[in-house]
Amino acid sequence: MSSSSTPQDDKATASDESRPRLTVRCQCGRVAFPAPAASPLRIYHCHCAECRRQSGSAFGTSAIFAAADMFPLAAEVAARVRRYTRDTESGNTMDCYFCAECGSRLFHRVVGVGGVPRPTVSIKGGCVEGLQWRGARHIYVRSAVMEIPAEWEAYETLPPDML
């Protein structure tokens, strides 16, 4: 494995297509759908204040997937989620989707200043059943409320190759 690859990168091979997709599910179970792939492209643990508030914890976890197989949202999913849009530090906006019944945040997608959405979607790690948590990167550690061990891959803000 190269220094820039992750365990998720190593698993994302042609055999990835033959493995079953992971399931994304909210707390109450009203919203459930297959993840866009059998494994994420990358996993981030974000320590920014927004993610701490959203998760109610020391950091928020996002499993990053290609958005092409998820957007536009399936009619059944679209009917059961609500969207909250907020500004980001970089001047973009973030569309945050949550279950209309239990309020669980399920995923978000960044939309650029020109209105073009990113080609990736961030699915909340705790909502992904069977997610492999190895190889996660810690981002926005400048805002961390816990000690970040030196052996963890960590970035003051965003890594240069952010997906």
Side-chain angles (χ1 to χ4, degrees), residues 102-151:
C102 68
S104 294
R105 172 82 162 271
L106 294 161
F107 55 93
H108 66 261
R109 190 173 188 197
V110 174
V111 178
V113 177
V116 178
R118 268 196 195 151
T120 56
V121 59
S122 301
I123 300 178
K124 299 288 113 186
C127 296
V128 183
E129 297 176 353
L131 180 66
Q132 297 296 312
W133 294 75
R134 294 180 305 273
R137 293 173 158 192
H138 289 257
I139 59 175
Y140 282 99
V141 298
R142 70 178 184 196
S143 305
V145 295
M146 58 177 274
E147 186 175 334
I148 306 297
E151 64 271 14

XYZ file of all heavy atoms in Angstrom, residues 102-151:
377
model
N -37.050 10.775 12.805
C -36.227 10.739 14.023
C -35.173 11.843 14.067
O -34.565 12.076 15.111
C -35.570 9.375 14.197
S -34.299 8.970 12.960
N -34.925 12.519 12.961
C -33.965 13.615 12.931
C -32.527 13.201 12.734
O -31.635 14.057 12.743
N -32.252 11.913 12.544
C -30.869 11.467 12.341
C -30.292 12.082 11.079
O -30.892 12.012 10.013
C -30.795 9.943 12.175
O -31.147 9.271 13.329
N -29.123 12.702 11.217
C -28.414 13.204 10.049
C -27.858 12.007 9.313
O -27.213 11.147 9.899
C -27.312 14.144 10.494
C -26.380 14.591 9.425
C -26.903 15.764 8.591
N -25.768 16.331 7.930
C -25.000 17.284 8.431
N -25.290 17.856 9.562
N -23.945 17.691 7.784
N -28.119 11.911 8.011
C -27.709 10.764 7.217
C -26.548 11.056 6.275
O -25.636 10.256 6.146
C -28.900 10.236 6.415
C -30.026 9.659 7.271
C -31.320 9.579 6.487
C -29.601 8.300 7.783
N -26.604 12.199 5.593
C -25.553 12.515 4.635
C -25.559 13.998 4.326
O -26.503 14.713 4.655
C -25.692 11.686 3.348
C -27.028 11.773 2.659
C -27.249 12.697 1.648
C -28.060 10.921 3.012
C -28.483 12.762 1.003
C -29.292 10.969 2.374
C -29.505 11.901 1.369
N -24.467 14.447 3.712
C -24.403 15.828 3.232
C -23.565 15.877 1.962
O -22.795 14.975 1.664
C -23.863 16.791 4.303
C -22.440 16.568 4.691
N -22.078 15.870 5.813
C -21.279 16.955 4.106
C -20.766 15.850 5.921
N -20.252 16.491 4.887
N -23.799 16.966 1.234
C -23.086 17.183 -0.026
C -22.763 18.667 -0.153
O -23.640 19.515 0.019
C -23.948 16.719 -1.198
C -23.208 16.673 -2.518
C -24.085 16.054 -3.570
N -23.341 15.825 -4.809
C -23.896 15.603 -5.960
N -25.223 15.542 -6.059
N -23.175 15.401 -7.036
N -21.515 18.960 -0.466
C -21.082 20.341 -0.640
C -21.439 20.812 -2.045
O -21.281 20.081 -3.018
C -19.564 20.475 -0.393
C -19.066 21.872 -0.720
C -19.232 20.114 1.060
N -21.939 22.048 -2.116
C -22.282 22.682 -3.384
C -21.379 23.902 -3.534
O -21.309 24.750 -2.635
C -23.769 23.098 -3.428
C -24.098 23.798 -4.734
C -24.662 21.877 -3.230
N -20.668 23.977 -4.651
C -19.724 25.062 -4.886
C -20.410 26.402 -5.087
O -21.630 26.478 -5.281
N -19.606 27.450 -5.058
C -20.097 28.822 -5.206
C -20.916 28.977 -6.481
O -21.924 29.661 -6.502
C -18.920 29.832 -5.166
C -19.407 31.252 -5.401
C -18.185 29.738 -3.840
N -20.552 28.295 -7.544
C -21.272 28.372 -8.814
C -22.502 27.487 -8.874
O -23.133 27.378 -9.923
N -22.852 26.828 -7.762
C -24.029 25.965 -7.730
C -23.786 24.542 -8.193
O -24.716 23.756 -8.333
N -22.518 24.183 -8.424
C -22.186 22.831 -8.878
C -21.864 21.954 -7.668
O -20.953 22.261 -6.908
C -20.985 22.858 -9.851
C -20.597 21.458 -10.286
C -21.290 23.734 -11.046
N -22.608 20.863 -7.486
C -22.322 19.975 -6.359
C -21.036 19.186 -6.563
O -20.660 18.898 -7.696
C -23.516 19.026 -6.294
C -24.383 19.344 -7.448
C -23.772 20.445 -8.240
N -20.376 18.853 -5.454
C -19.195 17.998 -5.522
C -19.589 16.631 -6.078
O -20.716 16.191 -5.896
C -18.629 17.776 -4.118
C -17.590 18.755 -3.728
C -16.816 18.246 -2.516
N -16.075 19.365 -1.968
C -15.759 19.489 -0.709
N -16.116 18.566 0.166
N -15.088 20.529 -0.284
N -18.642 15.933 -6.683
C -18.945 14.602 -7.214
C -18.988 13.525 -6.126
O -19.145 12.351 -6.428
C -17.800 14.344 -8.203
C -16.670 15.164 -7.683
C -17.302 16.388 -7.058
N -18.834 13.939 -4.872
C -18.875 12.992 -3.760
C -19.988 13.369 -2.791
O -20.463 14.493 -2.766
C -17.540 12.975 -2.995
O -17.228 14.301 -2.551
C -16.414 12.428 -3.860
N -20.377 12.376 -1.979
C -21.357 12.570 -0.925
C -20.740 12.030 0.360
O -20.034 11.013 0.336
C -22.712 11.884 -1.250
C -22.554 10.396 -1.458
C -23.746 12.185 -0.190
N -20.984 12.719 1.461
C -20.474 12.316 2.773
C -21.608 11.672 3.554
O -22.564 12.353 3.931
C -19.954 13.536 3.538
O -18.933 14.183 2.817
N -21.513 10.374 3.776
C -22.536 9.659 4.533
C -22.036 9.494 5.958
O -20.877 9.121 6.181
C -22.858 8.302 3.872
C -23.384 8.530 2.450
C -23.873 7.529 4.715
C -23.687 7.264 1.672
N -22.872 9.802 6.926
C -22.488 9.744 8.335
C -22.091 8.321 8.711
O -22.867 7.378 8.544
C -23.629 10.231 9.226
C -24.033 11.674 8.945
C -22.972 12.622 9.453
C -22.229 13.372 8.430
N -21.137 14.177 8.855
N -20.874 8.161 9.205
C -20.298 6.852 9.477
C -21.136 5.964 10.380
O -21.251 4.760 10.146
N -21.737 6.540 11.412
C -22.538 5.752 12.343
C -23.826 5.224 11.741
O -24.462 4.337 12.327
N -24.211 5.717 10.585
C -25.426 5.253 9.901
C -25.141 4.175 8.857
O -26.059 3.642 8.250
C -26.122 6.435 9.224
S -26.716 7.686 10.372
N -23.866 3.862 8.652
C -23.480 2.877 7.639
C -23.229 1.534 8.327
O -22.237 1.372 9.039
C -22.225 3.321 6.858
C -21.891 2.307 5.763
C -22.410 4.709 6.261
N -24.122 0.604 8.121
C -23.998 -0.717 8.738
C -22.866 -1.494 8.084
O -22.797 -1.587 6.862
C -25.313 -1.480 8.613
C -26.438 -0.801 9.357
C -27.785 -1.476 9.173
O -27.906 -2.420 8.364
O -28.729 -1.041 9.854
N -21.955 -2.021 8.901
C -20.845 -2.819 8.395
C -19.651 -2.022 7.925
O -18.723 -2.582 7.344
N -19.624 -0.724 8.184
C -18.507 0.123 7.751
C -17.207 -0.326 8.413
O -17.178 -0.577 9.618
C -18.794 1.588 8.117
C -17.730 2.608 7.733
C -17.623 2.714 6.214
C -18.074 3.971 8.328
N -16.148 -0.429 7.634
C -14.808 -0.701 8.159
C -14.164 0.634 8.495
O -14.000 1.471 7.615
C -13.968 -1.466 7.127
C -14.523 -2.824 6.779
C -14.534 -3.761 7.974
O -13.548 -3.895 8.685
N -15.678 -4.398 8.207
N -13.805 0.860 9.738
C -13.357 2.167 10.212
C -11.854 2.388 10.087
O -11.363 3.467 10.402
C -13.787 2.342 11.667
C -15.274 2.403 11.821
C -16.164 1.358 11.752
C -16.071 3.558 12.039
N -17.451 1.801 11.924
C -17.420 3.151 12.112
C -15.777 4.907 12.186
C -18.464 4.040 12.312
C -16.813 5.793 12.403
C -18.142 5.359 12.459
N -11.103 1.424 9.622
C -9.649 1.568 9.519
C -9.265 2.617 8.474
O -9.947 2.780 7.483
C -9.021 0.235 9.135
C -9.156 -0.838 10.185
C -8.509 -2.147 9.746
N -8.994 -2.646 8.463
C -10.065 -3.413 8.302
N -10.775 -3.762 9.343
N -10.429 -3.832 7.109
N -8.140 3.275 8.738
C -7.581 4.193 7.761
C -8.222 5.570 7.704
O -7.982 6.317 6.765
N -9.012 5.930 8.710
C -9.670 7.242 8.706
C -8.645 8.363 8.908
O -7.638 8.193 9.591
C -10.728 7.299 9.805
N -8.927 9.492 8.297
C -8.111 10.701 8.467
C -8.847 11.651 9.405
O -10.058 11.821 9.275
C -7.917 11.396 7.118
C -7.093 10.633 6.139
C -7.126 11.340 4.809
N -5.996 10.972 3.993
C -5.652 11.597 2.875
N -6.368 12.617 2.454
N -4.616 11.203 2.181
N -8.109 12.296 10.282
C -8.682 13.293 11.194
C -8.439 14.667 10.584
O -7.295 15.014 10.262
C -8.038 13.188 12.577
C -8.455 11.947 13.290
N -9.390 11.954 14.293
C -8.077 10.654 13.124
C -9.573 10.725 14.717
N -8.787 9.908 14.025
N -9.523 15.431 10.396
C -9.414 16.758 9.788
C -9.922 17.821 10.754
O -10.651 17.526 11.697
C -10.161 16.826 8.434
C -11.651 16.509 8.591
C -9.492 15.870 7.431
C -12.459 16.683 7.294
N -9.504 19.052 10.504
C -9.814 20.199 11.366
C -9.421 19.931 12.809
O -10.113 20.316 13.751
C -11.292 20.610 11.245
C -11.546 21.403 9.985
C -12.083 20.791 8.861
C -11.210 22.749 9.914
C -12.288 21.505 7.695
C -11.407 23.467 8.757
C -11.946 22.837 7.646
O -12.141 23.553 6.490
N -8.241 19.321 12.983
C -7.778 19.042 14.345
C -7.397 20.317 15.099
O -7.265 20.288 16.307
C -6.633 18.007 14.383
C -7.103 16.673 13.820
C -5.400 18.495 13.656
N -7.287 21.434 14.400
C -7.041 22.714 15.082
C -8.173 23.035 16.046
O -7.995 23.794 16.991
C -6.862 23.851 14.072
C -8.153 24.213 13.345
C -7.993 25.365 12.398
N -9.292 25.711 11.829
C -9.451 26.457 10.773
N -8.396 26.956 10.147
N -10.652 26.732 10.320
N -9.352 22.445 15.817
C -10.522 22.669 16.665
C -10.810 21.492 17.590
O -11.846 21.470 18.252
C -11.756 22.903 15.781
O -11.541 23.957 14.883
N -9.916 20.516 17.632
C -10.166 19.299 18.406
C -10.329 19.605 19.893
O -9.644 20.473 20.443
C -9.040 18.299 18.200
N -11.239 18.876 20.525
C -11.471 19.003 21.971
C -10.902 17.788 22.705
O -11.184 17.590 23.887
C -12.974 19.180 22.293
C -13.490 20.493 21.718
C -13.797 18.003 21.771
N -10.129 16.996 22.003
C -9.468 15.827 22.577
C -8.047 15.786 22.039
O -7.734 16.418 21.033
C -10.215 14.542 22.181
C -10.331 14.359 20.676
S -11.117 12.829 20.151
C -9.707 11.732 20.159
N -7.199 15.058 22.721
C -5.829 14.918 22.254
C -5.806 13.993 21.039
O -6.470 12.952 21.026
C -4.948 14.336 23.362
C -3.492 14.290 22.989
C -2.618 13.820 24.137
O -3.013 14.003 25.298
O -1.542 13.270 23.850
N -5.066 14.399 20.023
C -4.935 13.601 18.806
C -3.589 12.877 18.873
O -2.542 13.524 18.843
C -4.993 14.489 17.535
C -6.244 15.364 17.520
C -4.882 13.634 16.282
C -7.553 14.607 17.478
N -3.584 11.560 18.988
C -2.315 10.826 19.046
C -1.449 11.085 17.817
O -1.962 11.214 16.697
C -2.753 9.359 19.106
C -4.127 9.409 19.712
C -4.742 10.672 19.144
N -0.149 11.166 18.028
C 0.793 11.487 16.953
C 0.745 10.480 15.813
O 1.003 10.830 14.658
C 2.213 11.582 17.516
N 0.389 9.229 16.093
C 0.383 8.207 15.035
C -0.851 8.271 14.137
O -0.923 7.595 13.120
C 0.544 6.795 15.627
C -0.568 6.346 16.523
C -0.377 6.725 18.004
O 0.475 7.566 18.332
O -1.129 6.179 18.814
